[in-house]
Amino acid sequence: MTRPGTIIVGASHGGVQAAQSLRQADYTDPITLISDERGTPYHRPPLSKGYISAPQSGPSLLRPETFFAASDITLLRGTPATDLDRTARSLRVGDQTLHYDHLILATGASARRLPDAEFRNLHTLRNASDSAVLSAELPAARSLVVIGGGFIGLEVAATAAKLGLSVTVVEVQPRILARALPEAVSAHIARQHQQAGTRLLTGVSLGAITGRNGRADTVTLSDGTALAADLILVGIGSQPNTALAIDAGLALSAGGILVDDHLRTSDPAIFAIGDCATFPSPFAPTPVRLESVQNAVDQAKCVAACITGTPLPYSAVPWFWTEQFDMRIQMAGLPCDGGQLLLRGTPDSGSFSVLHLIGDQLVGAYSVNATADHIAARKLIPSGIRIDPALACDTTRPLKHCLTDSAVSA
């Protein structure tokens, strides 16, 4: 008798990787991958960059269309999953009732929207459809106002500035990327945007958006500043897609679906991965929810190993990246309090890193056009190897060789 197999809800980076990793581990039971989008699963990072300026080629696919049939993975598109019944181990997809042995929730997150703001030229950016709609309006636009100085907003701002638009970024915090990056790194990024002509307004919040005939034309800020806007992008964060989990009574924490160190939810037959999951990390004092391709992909591999009988606790070091203008900004580790920040290199050179040490242990690294530092940091952070701060400031020495004498001896 054929077993129900594994159902994966969500066909972005984590969901697709989970299906592939199961097959690579010789999992032979059925795999069903459910996508609420109609197209073939695609890479999301380019949506705020290259895809906006050249959408005609379509988004870059995560796997070729032929991959799913060749791997015996059933891909259901264009219909969301509903009615999760944990007792029957079933859920609905359109007019079908599907049963599972294992269920993986890779439902991702949705962009936060402004309440009571409905204008045709007011956009958020989370999927290919959002990016295509925004891209279609760019050629006729002269000005763009970005609400929120986070990664998505700044990536779109950089793309729009390169296309010749007048761009203003509005950020409520005293500086852009204040929660994600040290001041030296965010200040360098701010300078690059300003040199491209972008106006950065920090420490000020949105007051109102007004317009006529269904289109916004003015953004008024809390200090009374009025900004003309042909286009508006709202980049004020995201909220995890947890409706299916909430309806099924699964435990939540910090806004996401709570999982253990093997990524199991409060129901042992159900896992959650990626943007929707809140998980314990050896690099954070309390459970965290992370939005990154790396986290989703590594968690997918962890769950596949658990399902196929080789379970290991999830312990991957978190890392992230963003590309803006000619900057490739890479981060390893998670922001935390205490310790010291070391500047390795100089921002004026265009290539530098800020290292976060607690004692002589590296806990975080923030690199701008310094990929070798980033790669070394991803190995040094989980190893616990001790770093010599004086050596770490010397850019003539590779970071991986900036160890204390005792660490070298060991």
Side-chain angles (χ1 to χ4, degrees):
M1 181 177 177
T2 302
R3 294 176 60 86
T6 296
I7 295 176
I8 305 166
V9 182
S12 191
H13 295 269
V16 171
Q17 183 64 57
Q20 178 175 348
S21 293
L22 283 169
R23 287 293 183 240
Q24 289 173 333
D26 297 325
Y27 181 82
T28 58
D29 290 343
I31 298 174
T32 302
L33 183 61
I34 301 170
S35 173
D36 58 5
E37 297 185 66
R38 295 189 179 278
T40 304
Y42 55 86
H43 288 275
R44 292 185 182 266
L47 297 180
S48 54
K49 299 179 280 290
Y51 183 58
I52 289 179
S53 53
Q56 60 275 8
S57 59
S60 174
L61 302 182
L62 285 171
R63 304 291 185 275
E65 176 67 35
T66 55
F67 162 80
F68 301 97
S71 303
D72 193 22
I73 297 166
T74 300
L75 176 59
L76 302 181
R77 313 178 220 214
T79 305
T82 60
D83 301 323
L84 171 56
D85 185 333
R86 292 165 50 197
T87 302
R89 291 196 177 184
S90 69
L91 74 166
R92 297 278 296 174
V93 182
D95 59 0
Q96 301 182 71
T97 297
L98 306 179
H99 291 83
Y100 62 85
D101 295 310
H102 308 283
L103 176 64
I104 303 173
L105 299 178
T107 49
S110 300
R112 292 188 182 277
R113 298 179 181 274
L114 296 175
D116 304 321
E118 297 292 337
F119 296 100
R120 292 193 300 276
N121 57 336
L122 177 66
H123 301 279
T124 57
L125 180 55
R126 195 70 194 184
N127 57 38
S129 177
D130 295 337
S131 186
V133 170
L134 178 61
S135 176
E137 293 210 34
L138 283 173
R142 293 171 298 175
S143 59
L144 168 69
V145 174
V146 178
I147 308 298
F151 290 119
I152 294 295
L154 291 172
E155 288 169 0
V156 173
T159 301
K162 288 189 288 187
L163 292 173
L165 275 71
S166 173
V167 180
T168 302
V169 176
V170 179
E171 169 55 49
V172 69
Q173 297 294 323
R175 58 183 174 90
I176 59 171
L177 299 168
R179 288 186 290 269
L181 298 176
E183 186 171 1
V185 181
S186 68
H188 177 76
I189 295 170
R191 285 193 295 272
Q192 303 310 303
H193 279 269
Q194 289 166 334
Q195 288 172 11
T198 296
R199 186 182 181 190
L200 299 180
L201 303 179
T202 58
V204 63
S205 60
L206 175 66
I209 299 175
T210 55
R212 55 184 178 177
N213 300 323
R215 292 186 67 85
D217 55 28
T218 304
V219 175
T220 303
L221 306 182
S222 56
D223 63 359
T225 300
L227 305 171
D230 294 327
L231 287 176
I232 304 169
L233 176 74
V234 178
I236 55 174
S238 67
Q239 47 196 14
N241 296 327
T242 56
L244 202 62
I246 291 172
D247 289 346
L250 297 176
L252 274 70
S253 175
I257 305 168
L258 181 63
V259 297
D260 63 16
D261 60 358
H262 287 78
L263 306 173
R264 291 186 188 273
T265 69
S266 51
D267 182 326
I270 304 175
F271 300 83
I273 62 174
D275 297 2
C276 69
T278 299
F279 63 97
S281 169
F283 307 100
T286 58
V288 295
R289 187 180 71 85
L290 300 179
E291 295 184 23
S292 77
V293 171
Q294 167 271 325
N295 183 61
V297 168
D298 284 346
Q299 289 189 339
K301 295 176 181 178
C302 178
V303 167
C306 193
I307 289 174
T308 55
T310 55
L312 287 173
Y314 181 68
S315 60
V317 60
W319 57 270
F320 316 83
W321 81 92
T322 177
E323 293 174 338
Q324 300 169 34
F325 301 113
D326 61 353
M327 297 178 292
R328 184 169 179 82
I329 302 119
Q330 296 167 293
M331 299 142 275
L334 295 175
C336 60
D337 296 329
Q340 61 176 324
L341 297 176
L342 301 180
L343 182 61
R344 176 176 164 83
T346 60
D348 288 346
S349 72
S351 174
F352 69 100
S353 295
V354 173
L355 308 178
H356 186 182
L357 272 69
I358 293 182
D360 52 11
Q361 185 171 347
L362 184 67
V363 297
Y366 309 86
S367 302
V368 178
N369 296 332
T371 298
D373 286 355
H374 173 70
I375 292 173
R378 281 164 49 184
K379 297 177 181 178
L380 290 169
I381 289 170
S383 74
I385 293 175
R386 295 192 293 172
I387 301 294
D388 185 318
L391 295 179
C393 293
D394 180 2
T395 57
T396 66
R397 180 187 294 264
L399 181 58
K400 63 182 179 180
H401 294 155
C402 298
L403 312 181
T404 62
D405 289 341
S406 58
V408 172
S409 299

